[in-house]
Amino acid sequence: MYLRYSLLRSARAVQRCHPHSRLAHTSTTTKHTPPTTPCKQYLEPTHTAALTSLSQESKSVIDASAKYMLPVYARPGFVLSHGKGSYVWDMEGRKYLDFSAGIAVNALGHSDEGVAKILGEQASKLLHTSNVYHHPGATKLAELIVELTRKEGGLGLDATAGAKIFFSNSGTEANEGALKIARKVGKDRGGPSKSRILCFENAFHGRSMGALSVTSNPKYQQPFMPLLPGVDVARINEMAALELITNETCAVIVEPIQGEGGINYAQEEWLKAIRKRCDETGAVLIFDEIQCGLFRTGKLWAHSALDSECHPDIVTMAKPLANGYPIGAVLMRDAIAETMTAGTHGTTFGGSPLACAVGYHVLSRLSAPEFAQQLQESSDYLQARLARLTEWFPSLLEEQIRGRGMILGLGFKDTSIPAKVVNLARERGLFVLTAGSDAVRIVPSLNIGKEEIDQAVDVLESVLEIVTAESVA
Ligand SMILES: Cc1ncc(COP(=O)(O)O)c(C=O)c1O
């Protein structure tokens, strides 16, 4: 099938990819000579099921999955066995470079030794208590999140303002909690009719009934109608949204950078206008930073980079907080938190000693200045290499790379291409994700180095060569 490429796979082409790898081992200040042509080293698939017949062990996992597990995921035909750093291996021993990081979760990569150590130590000390009792881990992590937010800029916190945390087990539950809190604030401020919620097209907030009701995507919503009443839907960056924020609105929920929806930015001026309208009407502004927060953009919050005039009342977070151990959280200004009293909300598992110990460890490392510096350098390097793709493949790609930090997207002109790119990349040992209908999402671990970046972009270059050749054939 890829015969036509065999001629292209000359020694020269292979050599052209190698200098990237050599550079990976040099200091980050080393001057990089950018490649002048796309890499063609990965034109042939290396990781398809057809190449290596599956072991009995893998087959029995896949068969058992079909027999016993709800078929809500369309998984590829291999079974993951273990991981280290940015790499994972399947049960056949094939190695994959994971630029999906468990959907923007494994900020410190797979099998991190520090995380494993904390997990072991805390599990053998105090794993779960329920929220009936105090334990030091939750307050320690809550203090770290609030004080980092004050220091790095977020939630409009100044030196004197306070904030409170509620811990959940997932992003969906964090959003569910945020919506409930906003509903209660709405009732306090405007009575029972102040209950409407404004959300946005292409947003993703989760799959529970409340979170799903504000995830305006027919594919997810249609089978489960009726959902929450009183939800309005607008488009990000369109001023018409302001008209939907009325005295009956209790909450506006928005991702500062839409992740699942396509790596789309909410513009600062638009967010300021939304903030102002929320203040005029007494609506609570919720930023869902479950995917874009916690240093994925290079800063604590995606909104840390923005003027405090557009900061929210509530921020929700989850994914990387404990590097893959389940945890989520709702962070809110004191003025919002005061409506919540004992018994108004709760969870059995949320904020367990184990989840919080891991969260504290992970967040302490992510917030170290040298980590941010390294992340910035890697992000600059990755973006520079991705920018070449837009020059080399103008018929396929938009001119600009979407996103910032380590939440990046390649926007495609033809919506049939992103899923194809994800599959072709996986068949060459690289995990990336789609985003929305028209983008490939690149959300690797935050501690990746140049070597991984070079390998990933080399694979993408080869894949785009294939797609280009197919589209002109
Ligand atoms: C922005 C955003 N909000 C909410 C969620 C739901 O989080 P979880 O899957 O942890 O429930 C996700 C998950 O992808 C997300 O990206």
PDB file of all heavy atoms in Angstrom, residues 228-260:
ATOM      1  N   LEU A 228     -31.084  18.869  32.034  1.00  0.00           N
ATOM      2  CA  LEU A 228     -31.462  19.990  32.914  1.00  0.00           C
ATOM      3  C   LEU A 228     -32.200  21.056  32.122  1.00  0.00           C
ATOM      4  O   LEU A 228     -31.728  21.449  31.043  1.00  0.00           O
ATOM      5  CB  LEU A 228     -30.201  20.678  33.442  1.00  0.00           C
ATOM      6  CG  LEU A 228     -29.525  20.246  34.720  1.00  0.00           C
ATOM      7  CD1 LEU A 228     -28.473  21.290  35.089  1.00  0.00           C
ATOM      8  CD2 LEU A 228     -30.530  20.109  35.848  1.00  0.00           C
ATOM      9  N   PRO A 229     -33.315  21.547  32.625  1.00  0.00           N
ATOM     10  CA  PRO A 229     -33.957  22.684  31.936  1.00  0.00           C
ATOM     11  C   PRO A 229     -33.196  23.981  32.232  1.00  0.00           C
ATOM     12  O   PRO A 229     -32.345  24.010  33.122  1.00  0.00           O
ATOM     13  CB  PRO A 229     -35.348  22.710  32.567  1.00  0.00           C
ATOM     14  CG  PRO A 229     -35.176  22.091  33.915  1.00  0.00           C
ATOM     15  CD  PRO A 229     -34.015  21.128  33.837  1.00  0.00           C
ATOM     16  N   GLY A 230     -33.491  25.007  31.474  1.00  0.00           N
ATOM     17  CA  GLY A 230     -32.940  26.335  31.795  1.00  0.00           C
ATOM     18  C   GLY A 230     -31.502  26.519  31.385  1.00  0.00           C
ATOM     19  O   GLY A 230     -30.778  27.310  31.990  1.00  0.00           O
ATOM     20  N   VAL A 231     -31.055  25.777  30.335  1.00  0.00           N
ATOM     21  CA  VAL A 231     -29.674  25.952  29.860  1.00  0.00           C
ATOM     22  C   VAL A 231     -29.697  26.718  28.539  1.00  0.00           C
ATOM     23  O   VAL A 231     -30.439  26.356  27.614  1.00  0.00           O
ATOM     24  CB  VAL A 231     -28.983  24.576  29.671  1.00  0.00           C
ATOM     25  CG1 VAL A 231     -27.617  24.749  28.996  1.00  0.00           C
ATOM     26  CG2 VAL A 231     -28.831  23.869  31.013  1.00  0.00           C
ATOM     27  N   ASP A 232     -28.918  27.798  28.468  1.00  0.00           N
ATOM     28  CA  ASP A 232     -28.788  28.554  27.221  1.00  0.00           C
ATOM     29  C   ASP A 232     -27.423  28.260  26.619  1.00  0.00           C
ATOM     30  O   ASP A 232     -26.456  28.008  27.340  1.00  0.00           O
ATOM     31  CB  ASP A 232     -28.912  30.059  27.497  1.00  0.00           C
ATOM     32  CG  ASP A 232     -30.281  30.395  28.077  1.00  0.00           C
ATOM     33  OD1 ASP A 232     -31.287  30.081  27.423  1.00  0.00           O
ATOM     34  OD2 ASP A 232     -30.333  30.926  29.216  1.00  0.00           O
ATOM     35  N   VAL A 233     -27.377  28.315  25.284  1.00  0.00           N
ATOM     36  CA  VAL A 233     -26.122  28.002  24.597  1.00  0.00           C
ATOM     37  C   VAL A 233     -25.749  29.156  23.672  1.00  0.00           C
ATOM     38  O   VAL A 233     -26.580  29.626  22.898  1.00  0.00           O
ATOM     39  CB  VAL A 233     -26.252  26.712  23.759  1.00  0.00           C
ATOM     40  CG1 VAL A 233     -24.908  26.342  23.141  1.00  0.00           C
ATOM     41  CG2 VAL A 233     -26.786  25.557  24.607  1.00  0.00           C
ATOM     42  N   ALA A 234     -24.486  29.601  23.780  1.00  0.00           N
ATOM     43  CA  ALA A 234     -23.999  30.658  22.882  1.00  0.00           C
ATOM     44  C   ALA A 234     -22.688  30.192  22.270  1.00  0.00           C
ATOM     45  O   ALA A 234     -22.272  29.051  22.472  1.00  0.00           O
ATOM     46  CB  ALA A 234     -23.810  31.957  23.666  1.00  0.00           C
ATOM     47  N   ARG A 235     -22.034  31.083  21.526  1.00  0.00           N
ATOM     48  CA  ARG A 235     -20.736  30.756  20.932  1.00  0.00           C
ATOM     49  C   ARG A 235     -19.659  31.561  21.618  1.00  0.00           C
ATOM     50  O   ARG A 235     -19.863  32.760  21.868  1.00  0.00           O
ATOM     51  CB  ARG A 235     -20.717  31.131  19.461  1.00  0.00           C
ATOM     52  CG  ARG A 235     -21.514  30.189  18.640  1.00  0.00           C
ATOM     53  CD  ARG A 235     -21.204  30.446  17.196  1.00  0.00           C
ATOM     54  NE  ARG A 235     -21.710  29.355  16.399  1.00  0.00           N
ATOM     55  CZ  ARG A 235     -21.662  29.321  15.101  1.00  0.00           C
ATOM     56  NH1 ARG A 235     -21.096  30.310  14.449  1.00  0.00           N
ATOM     57  NH2 ARG A 235     -22.156  28.305  14.450  1.00  0.00           N
ATOM     58  N   ILE A 236     -18.514  30.926  21.865  1.00  0.00           N
ATOM     59  CA  ILE A 236     -17.447  31.703  22.491  1.00  0.00           C
ATOM     60  C   ILE A 236     -17.002  32.804  21.519  1.00  0.00           C
ATOM     61  O   ILE A 236     -17.095  32.647  20.304  1.00  0.00           O
ATOM     62  CB  ILE A 236     -16.224  30.850  22.953  1.00  0.00           C
ATOM     63  CG1 ILE A 236     -15.570  30.109  21.798  1.00  0.00           C
ATOM     64  CG2 ILE A 236     -16.574  29.946  24.087  1.00  0.00           C
ATOM     65  CD1 ILE A 236     -14.164  29.605  22.147  1.00  0.00           C
ATOM     66  N   ASN A 237     -16.556  33.884  22.121  1.00  0.00           N
ATOM     67  CA  ASN A 237     -16.021  35.045  21.395  1.00  0.00           C
ATOM     68  C   ASN A 237     -17.074  35.805  20.597  1.00  0.00           C
ATOM     69  O   ASN A 237     -16.730  36.680  19.809  1.00  0.00           O
ATOM     70  CB  ASN A 237     -14.855  34.626  20.482  1.00  0.00           C
ATOM     71  CG  ASN A 237     -13.715  34.031  21.280  1.00  0.00           C
ATOM     72  OD1 ASN A 237     -13.479  34.444  22.414  1.00  0.00           O
ATOM     73  ND2 ASN A 237     -13.029  33.052  20.736  1.00  0.00           N
ATOM     74  N   GLU A 238     -18.356  35.474  20.796  1.00  0.00           N
ATOM     75  CA  GLU A 238     -19.406  36.257  20.129  1.00  0.00           C
ATOM     76  C   GLU A 238     -20.142  37.079  21.186  1.00  0.00           C
ATOM     77  O   GLU A 238     -20.603  36.533  22.198  1.00  0.00           O
ATOM     78  CB  GLU A 238     -20.376  35.334  19.384  1.00  0.00           C
ATOM     79  CG  GLU A 238     -19.733  34.771  18.140  1.00  0.00           C
ATOM     80  CD  GLU A 238     -20.708  34.074  17.209  1.00  0.00           C
ATOM     81  OE1 GLU A 238     -21.934  34.072  17.485  1.00  0.00           O
ATOM     82  OE2 GLU A 238     -20.218  33.521  16.207  1.00  0.00           O
ATOM     83  N   MET A 239     -20.247  38.390  20.936  1.00  0.00           N
ATOM     84  CA  MET A 239     -20.846  39.289  21.916  1.00  0.00           C
ATOM     85  C   MET A 239     -22.349  39.018  22.116  1.00  0.00           C
ATOM     86  O   MET A 239     -22.919  39.425  23.123  1.00  0.00           O
ATOM     87  CB  MET A 239     -20.608  40.752  21.524  1.00  0.00           C
ATOM     88  CG  MET A 239     -19.153  41.169  21.678  1.00  0.00           C
ATOM     89  SD  MET A 239     -18.574  41.003  23.408  1.00  0.00           S
ATOM     90  CE  MET A 239     -16.847  41.456  23.231  1.00  0.00           C
ATOM     91  N   ALA A 240     -22.965  38.300  21.179  1.00  0.00           N
ATOM     92  CA  ALA A 240     -24.382  37.954  21.337  1.00  0.00           C
ATOM     93  C   ALA A 240     -24.605  37.155  22.617  1.00  0.00           C
ATOM     94  O   ALA A 240     -25.716  37.148  23.175  1.00  0.00           O
ATOM     95  CB  ALA A 240     -24.846  37.146  20.127  1.00  0.00           C
ATOM     96  N   ALA A 241     -23.551  36.514  23.105  1.00  0.00           N
ATOM     97  CA  ALA A 241     -23.661  35.732  24.347  1.00  0.00           C
ATOM     98  C   ALA A 241     -24.115  36.618  25.511  1.00  0.00           C
ATOM     99  O   ALA A 241     -24.825  36.164  26.422  1.00  0.00           O
ATOM    100  CB  ALA A 241     -22.314  35.096  24.686  1.00  0.00           C
ATOM    101  N   LEU A 242     -23.725  37.896  25.481  1.00  0.00           N
ATOM    102  CA  LEU A 242     -24.047  38.800  26.594  1.00  0.00           C
ATOM    103  C   LEU A 242     -25.553  38.914  26.797  1.00  0.00           C
ATOM    104  O   LEU A 242     -26.038  39.048  27.918  1.00  0.00           O
ATOM    105  CB  LEU A 242     -23.462  40.191  26.347  1.00  0.00           C
ATOM    106  CG  LEU A 242     -21.935  40.267  26.184  1.00  0.00           C
ATOM    107  CD1 LEU A 242     -21.501  41.710  25.975  1.00  0.00           C
ATOM    108  CD2 LEU A 242     -21.232  39.681  27.395  1.00  0.00           C
ATOM    109  N   GLU A 243     -26.292  38.858  25.680  1.00  0.00           N
ATOM    110  CA  GLU A 243     -27.748  39.007  25.778  1.00  0.00           C
ATOM    111  C   GLU A 243     -28.403  37.838  26.500  1.00  0.00           C
ATOM    112  O   GLU A 243     -29.525  37.946  26.988  1.00  0.00           O
ATOM    113  CB  GLU A 243     -28.355  39.125  24.371  1.00  0.00           C
ATOM    114  CG  GLU A 243     -28.042  40.459  23.723  1.00  0.00           C
ATOM    115  CD  GLU A 243     -28.201  40.411  22.213  1.00  0.00           C
ATOM    116  OE1 GLU A 243     -29.055  39.630  21.744  1.00  0.00           O
ATOM    117  OE2 GLU A 243     -27.465  41.145  21.530  1.00  0.00           O
ATOM    118  N   LEU A 244     -27.698  36.710  26.539  1.00  0.00           N
ATOM    119  CA  LEU A 244     -28.260  35.533  27.210  1.00  0.00           C
ATOM    120  C   LEU A 244     -27.936  35.509  28.702  1.00  0.00           C
ATOM    121  O   LEU A 244     -28.357  34.605  29.420  1.00  0.00           O
ATOM    122  CB  LEU A 244     -27.750  34.255  26.529  1.00  0.00           C
ATOM    123  CG  LEU A 244     -28.272  34.029  25.105  1.00  0.00           C
ATOM    124  CD1 LEU A 244     -27.545  32.868  24.447  1.00  0.00           C
ATOM    125  CD2 LEU A 244     -29.778  33.767  25.121  1.00  0.00           C
ATOM    126  N   ILE A 245     -27.169  36.489  29.156  1.00  0.00           N
ATOM    127  CA  ILE A 245     -26.894  36.577  30.601  1.00  0.00           C
ATOM    128  C   ILE A 245     -27.874  37.599  31.179  1.00  0.00           C
ATOM    129  O   ILE A 245     -27.729  38.810  30.971  1.00  0.00           O
ATOM    130  CB  ILE A 245     -25.424  36.992  30.879  1.00  0.00           C
ATOM    131  CG1 ILE A 245     -24.454  36.066  30.124  1.00  0.00           C
ATOM    132  CG2 ILE A 245     -25.135  36.959  32.381  1.00  0.00           C
ATOM    133  CD1 ILE A 245     -22.993  36.481  30.200  1.00  0.00           C
ATOM    134  N   THR A 246     -28.888  37.096  31.852  1.00  0.00           N
ATOM    135  CA  THR A 246     -29.959  37.964  32.347  1.00  0.00           C
ATOM    136  C   THR A 246     -30.044  37.849  33.871  1.00  0.00           C
ATOM    137  O   THR A 246     -29.272  37.108  34.483  1.00  0.00           O
ATOM    138  CB  THR A 246     -31.321  37.531  31.757  1.00  0.00           C
ATOM    139  OG1 THR A 246     -31.646  36.249  32.336  1.00  0.00           O
ATOM    140  CG2 THR A 246     -31.266  37.397  30.243  1.00  0.00           C
ATOM    141  N   ASN A 247     -31.033  38.528  34.442  1.00  0.00           N
ATOM    142  CA  ASN A 247     -31.206  38.439  35.901  1.00  0.00           C
ATOM    143  C   ASN A 247     -31.618  37.038  36.334  1.00  0.00           C
ATOM    144  O   ASN A 247     -31.589  36.707  37.516  1.00  0.00           O
ATOM    145  CB  ASN A 247     -32.235  39.464  36.385  1.00  0.00           C
ATOM    146  CG  ASN A 247     -31.659  40.869  36.288  1.00  0.00           C
ATOM    147  OD1 ASN A 247     -30.434  41.052  36.372  1.00  0.00           O
ATOM    148  ND2 ASN A 247     -32.519  41.856  36.083  1.00  0.00           N
ATOM    149  N   GLU A 248     -32.005  36.208  35.368  1.00  0.00           N
ATOM    150  CA  GLU A 248     -32.373  34.816  35.695  1.00  0.00           C
ATOM    151  C   GLU A 248     -31.188  33.862  35.577  1.00  0.00           C
ATOM    152  O   GLU A 248     -31.312  32.678  35.860  1.00  0.00           O
ATOM    153  CB  GLU A 248     -33.509  34.350  34.785  1.00  0.00           C
ATOM    154  CG  GLU A 248     -34.793  35.109  35.041  1.00  0.00           C
ATOM    155  CD  GLU A 248     -36.012  34.428  34.453  1.00  0.00           C
ATOM    156  OE1 GLU A 248     -35.842  33.593  33.552  1.00  0.00           O
ATOM    157  OE2 GLU A 248     -37.114  34.743  34.920  1.00  0.00           O
ATOM    158  N   THR A 249     -30.055  34.398  35.157  1.00  0.00           N
ATOM    159  CA  THR A 249     -28.879  33.528  34.983  1.00  0.00           C
ATOM    160  C   THR A 249     -28.158  33.371  36.320  1.00  0.00           C
ATOM    161  O   THR A 249     -27.828  34.367  36.972  1.00  0.00           O
ATOM    162  CB  THR A 249     -27.904  34.148  33.952  1.00  0.00           C
ATOM    163  OG1 THR A 249     -28.625  34.416  32.753  1.00  0.00           O
ATOM    164  CG2 THR A 249     -26.736  33.224  33.671  1.00  0.00           C
ATOM    165  N   CYS A 250     -27.937  32.131  36.724  1.00  0.00           N
ATOM    166  CA  CYS A 250     -27.157  31.935  37.959  1.00  0.00           C
ATOM    167  C   CYS A 250     -25.703  31.605  37.636  1.00  0.00           C
ATOM    168  O   CYS A 250     -24.818  31.859  38.449  1.00  0.00           O
ATOM    169  CB  CYS A 250     -27.769  30.836  38.841  1.00  0.00           C
ATOM    170  SG  CYS A 250     -27.581  29.159  38.200  1.00  0.00           S
ATOM    171  N   ALA A 251     -25.427  31.039  36.455  1.00  0.00           N
ATOM    172  CA  ALA A 251     -24.046  30.632  36.152  1.00  0.00           C
ATOM    173  C   ALA A 251     -23.733  30.748  34.676  1.00  0.00           C
ATOM    174  O   ALA A 251     -24.590  30.520  33.823  1.00  0.00           O
ATOM    175  CB  ALA A 251     -23.826  29.187  36.584  1.00  0.00           C
ATOM    176  N   VAL A 252     -22.475  31.097  34.418  1.00  0.00           N
ATOM    177  CA  VAL A 252     -21.921  31.023  33.072  1.00  0.00           C
ATOM    178  C   VAL A 252     -20.701  30.117  33.184  1.00  0.00           C
ATOM    179  O   VAL A 252     -19.821  30.355  34.012  1.00  0.00           O
ATOM    180  CB  VAL A 252     -21.490  32.424  32.564  1.00  0.00           C
ATOM    181  CG1 VAL A 252     -20.809  32.316  31.203  1.00  0.00           C
ATOM    182  CG2 VAL A 252     -22.690  33.361  32.509  1.00  0.00           C
ATOM    183  N   ILE A 253     -20.679  29.050  32.407  1.00  0.00           N
ATOM    184  CA  ILE A 253     -19.549  28.112  32.494  1.00  0.00           C
ATOM    185  C   ILE A 253     -18.812  28.091  31.163  1.00  0.00           C
ATOM    186  O   ILE A 253     -19.414  27.900  30.103  1.00  0.00           O
ATOM    187  CB  ILE A 253     -20.001  26.702  32.946  1.00  0.00           C
ATOM    188  CG1 ILE A 253     -18.775  25.767  33.066  1.00  0.00           C
ATOM    189  CG2 ILE A 253     -21.067  26.080  32.038  1.00  0.00           C
ATOM    190  CD1 ILE A 253     -19.038  24.506  33.899  1.00  0.00           C
ATOM    191  N   VAL A 254     -17.483  28.293  31.229  1.00  0.00           N
ATOM    192  CA  VAL A 254     -16.698  28.403  29.999  1.00  0.00           C
ATOM    193  C   VAL A 254     -15.297  27.851  30.216  1.00  0.00           C
ATOM    194  O   VAL A 254     -14.737  27.992  31.311  1.00  0.00           O
ATOM    195  CB  VAL A 254     -16.669  29.880  29.507  1.00  0.00           C
ATOM    196  CG1 VAL A 254     -16.033  30.818  30.512  1.00  0.00           C
ATOM    197  CG2 VAL A 254     -15.979  30.023  28.163  1.00  0.00           C
ATOM    198  N   GLU A 255     -14.757  27.209  29.181  1.00  0.00           N
ATOM    199  CA  GLU A 255     -13.341  26.809  29.200  1.00  0.00           C
ATOM    200  C   GLU A 255     -12.521  27.965  28.607  1.00  0.00           C
ATOM    201  O   GLU A 255     -12.774  28.338  27.454  1.00  0.00           O
ATOM    202  CB  GLU A 255     -13.115  25.580  28.321  1.00  0.00           C
ATOM    203  CG  GLU A 255     -13.725  24.294  28.806  1.00  0.00           C
ATOM    204  CD  GLU A 255     -13.817  23.288  27.655  1.00  0.00           C
ATOM    205  OE1 GLU A 255     -12.818  22.583  27.409  1.00  0.00           O
ATOM    206  OE2 GLU A 255     -14.872  23.204  27.014  1.00  0.00           O
ATOM    207  N   PRO A 256     -11.537  28.491  29.311  1.00  0.00           N
ATOM    208  CA  PRO A 256     -10.716  29.549  28.705  1.00  0.00           C
ATOM    209  C   PRO A 256     -10.029  29.075  27.422  1.00  0.00           C
ATOM    210  O   PRO A 256      -9.812  29.852  26.501  1.00  0.00           O
ATOM    211  CB  PRO A 256      -9.683  29.869  29.783  1.00  0.00           C
ATOM    212  CG  PRO A 256     -10.280  29.393  31.050  1.00  0.00           C
ATOM    213  CD  PRO A 256     -11.174  28.235  30.707  1.00  0.00           C
ATOM    214  N   ILE A 257      -9.690  27.778  27.384  1.00  0.00           N
ATOM    215  CA  ILE A 257      -9.249  27.163  26.122  1.00  0.00           C
ATOM    216  C   ILE A 257     -10.029  25.856  26.000  1.00  0.00           C
ATOM    217  O   ILE A 257      -9.875  24.960  26.834  1.00  0.00           O
ATOM    218  CB  ILE A 257      -7.741  26.858  26.104  1.00  0.00           C
ATOM    219  CG1 ILE A 257      -6.908  28.119  26.353  1.00  0.00           C
ATOM    220  CG2 ILE A 257      -7.341  26.209  24.773  1.00  0.00           C
ATOM    221  CD1 ILE A 257      -5.402  27.872  26.485  1.00  0.00           C
ATOM    222  N   GLN A 258     -10.875  25.771  24.981  1.00  0.00           N
ATOM    223  CA  GLN A 258     -11.639  24.527  24.812  1.00  0.00           C
ATOM    224  C   GLN A 258     -10.699  23.403  24.408  1.00  0.00           C
ATOM    225  O   GLN A 258      -9.944  23.541  23.430  1.00  0.00           O
ATOM    226  CB  GLN A 258     -12.714  24.713  23.736  1.00  0.00           C
ATOM    227  CG  GLN A 258     -13.822  25.644  24.172  1.00  0.00           C
ATOM    228  CD  GLN A 258     -14.910  25.789  23.113  1.00  0.00           C
ATOM    229  OE1 GLN A 258     -14.648  25.634  21.922  1.00  0.00           O
ATOM    230  NE2 GLN A 258     -16.118  26.107  23.548  1.00  0.00           N
ATOM    231  N   GLY A 259     -10.730  22.307  25.165  1.00  0.00           N
ATOM    232  CA  GLY A 259      -9.842  21.177  24.884  1.00  0.00           C
ATOM    233  C   GLY A 259     -10.463  20.201  23.905  1.00  0.00           C
ATOM    234  O   GLY A 259     -10.084  20.151  22.726  1.00  0.00           O
ATOM    235  N   GLU A 260     -11.482  19.458  24.373  1.00  0.00           N
ATOM    236  CA  GLU A 260     -12.140  18.463  23.507  1.00  0.00           C
ATOM    237  C   GLU A 260     -12.716  19.125  22.255  1.00  0.00           C
ATOM    238  O   GLU A 260     -12.792  18.512  21.209  1.00  0.00           O
ATOM    239  CB  GLU A 260     -13.295  17.772  24.258  1.00  0.00           C
ATOM    240  CG  GLU A 260     -12.915  17.115  25.565  1.00  0.00           C
ATOM    241  CD  GLU A 260     -12.083  15.871  25.359  1.00  0.00           C
ATOM    242  OE1 GLU A 260     -12.377  15.094  24.440  1.00  0.00           O
ATOM    243  OE2 GLU A 260     -11.119  15.703  26.118  1.00  0.00           O
TER     244      GLU A 260
END
